[in-house]
């Protein structure tokens, strides 16, 4: 596929660019920052003119040809990095413009980064049950997460307008590069340290695998998937974490000693997602 990858200069985007290219796809990197060169196009996603021009494949001297697919990761990636209003404007406009340009150009394969935050992070209010999954309505608790929630609402409507359209929202857990694993033993000092996301994480290489599998999935309509590593960040057993930090939260099934509490069952079942990397055995 000819794929346009937004946010390609970012933490997840850099690895996704490599993984998608290694899988044989022809990928153009779109970002507002980046290194000049072939395969990179500087685009401000909040400017619809730039977005539709880029996704139409308009380049100097070449006949335009819209991309086959879009992987949209470009965003301010967390609460508190910029003002709430700047985060809202940048992220909602960017995603709207990507969806709208795709619709206008007839690009029917869109995968984009949603976030674990819509599950109710930082869980000041307990989750409804453990393991946490996609089966309860979004619970955004920040402006950043509100935008991710609104993007999911937009995606549902875009796919209702055009039932042949595919939009997959990947609710990534906290993205980690291998060098980030040095900090993991510290998280164990106090189980409260990572209670805010139920001790989840996702290796950037496995997050990129999820993007690849979602792009290659032959489904239509809108679907969301929680994307996390197969295990928690903690060396403490899940029974202890759940009883100590989420007392009173129903546990729906056997948790496994260190199995992720952000359920990836749906991603495994529908996408064939199979995380390969763990902080316990960094490779
Ligand atoms: N990092 C995490 O832990 C995490 C967790 C869940 C979801 N996500 C989501 O995954 C995606 C990628 O996150 P990341 O960690 O790689 O973030 P990042 O900040 O490292 O990368 C995001 C990229 O998007 C680009 N960008 C932002 N606004 C843009 C605009 N208006 N026009 C063009 N480019 C723009 C930035 O320049 C940057 O290169 C984001 O959508 C983020 O919300 C990240």
């Amino acid at each position: 596929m000819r794929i346009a990858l937004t946010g390609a200069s970012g933490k997840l985007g850099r690895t996704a660019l490599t993984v998608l290219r290694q899988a044989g796809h022809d990928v153009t990197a779109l970002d507002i920052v980046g290194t000049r060169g072939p395969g990179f196009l500087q685009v401000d996603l909040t400017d619809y003119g730039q977005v539709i021009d880029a996704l139409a494949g308009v380049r100097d001297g070449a006949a335009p040809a819209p991309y086959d697919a879009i992987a949209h990761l470009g965003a301010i990636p967390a609460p508190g990095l910029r003002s709430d209003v700047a985060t809202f404007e940048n992220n909602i406009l960017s995603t709207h413009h990507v969806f709208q340009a795709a619709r206008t150009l007839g690009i029917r394969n869109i995968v984009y980064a949603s976030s674990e935050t819509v599950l109710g992070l930082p869980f000041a209010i307990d989750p409804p049950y453990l393991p946490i999954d996609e089966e309860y309505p979004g619970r955004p608790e920040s402006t950043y997460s509100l935008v991710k929630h609104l993007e999911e609402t937009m995606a549902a409507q875009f796919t209702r307008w055009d039932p042949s359209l595919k939009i997959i929202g990947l609710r990534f857990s906290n993205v980690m590069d291998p060098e980030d694993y040095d900090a993991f033993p510290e998280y164990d000092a106090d189980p409260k340290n990572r209670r805010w996301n139920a001790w989840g994480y996702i290796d950037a290489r496995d997050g990129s695998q999820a993007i690849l599998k979602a792009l290659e999935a032959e489904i239509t309509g809108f679907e969301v998937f929680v994307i996390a590593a197969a295990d928690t960040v903690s060396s403490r057993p899940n029974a202890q974490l759940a009883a100590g930090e989420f007392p009173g939260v129903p546990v729906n099934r056997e948790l496994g000693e260190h199995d992720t509490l952000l359920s990836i069952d749906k991603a495994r079942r529908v996408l064939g997602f199979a995380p390969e990397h763990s902080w316990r055995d960094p490779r």
Side-chain angles (χ1 to χ4, degrees), residues 203-266:
D203 188 288
R205 295 163 291 183
D206 286 331
S208 300
Q209 180 210 120
I211 294 167
L212 174 65
K213 289 194 164 148
L215 284 165
E216 292 180 346
E218 291 189 3
I219 56 180
T220 54
F222 175 54
E223 294 287 345
V224 291
F225 298 92
V226 172
I227 300 296
D231 61 347
T232 65
V233 301
S234 182
S235 66
R236 294 163 202 256
N238 279 333
Q240 188 185 333
L241 292 171
E245 299 302 324
F246 292 111
V249 175
V251 175
N252 279 354
R253 62 171 157 81
E254 191 76 34
L255 292 178
E257 195 175 13
H258 298 300
D259 290 354
T260 178
L261 297 171
L262 301 173
S263 171
I264 53 173
D265 289 359
K266 183 182 176 191

Side-chain angles (χ1 to χ4, degrees), residues 1-106:
M1 286 182 277
R2 287 180 65 246
I3 299 169
L5 172 67
T6 79
S9 304
K11 185 172 190 177
L12 182 56
R14 284 191 297 271
T15 303
L17 185 62
T18 304
V19 167
L20 295 179
R21 283 182 175 160
Q22 280 172 350
H25 297 294
D26 176 3
V27 189
T28 302
L30 309 183
D31 204 298
I32 200 164
V33 297
T35 310
R36 193 170 73 178
F40 173 74
L41 189 63
Q42 187 175 18
V43 173
D44 180 352
L45 296 168
T46 64
D47 179 334
Y48 185 66
Q50 294 183 40
V51 175
I52 194 159
D53 204 45
L55 294 180
V58 174
R59 302 295 289 261
D60 283 347
Y67 288 88
D68 303 313
I70 302 166
H72 169 49
L73 310 181
I76 295 165
L81 300 177
R82 301 273 303 276
S83 73
D84 282 352
V85 170
T87 303
F88 186 88
E89 288 184 357
N90 186 76
N91 291 1
I92 199 82
L93 283 180
S94 296
T95 300
H96 174 267
H97 292 351
V98 167
F99 289 176
Q100 176 72 4
R103 179 171 169 235
T104 304
L105 294 166

Side-chain angles (χ1 to χ4, degrees), residues 157-178:
Q157 299 309 319
F158 271 79
T159 52
R160 187 175 62 82
W161 294 340
D162 177 359
S164 70
L165 178 64
K166 164 181 137 190
I167 305 184
I168 292 181
L170 299 175
R171 292 175 170 180
F172 291 111
S173 187
N174 196 189
V175 177
M176 300 289 171
D177 283 329

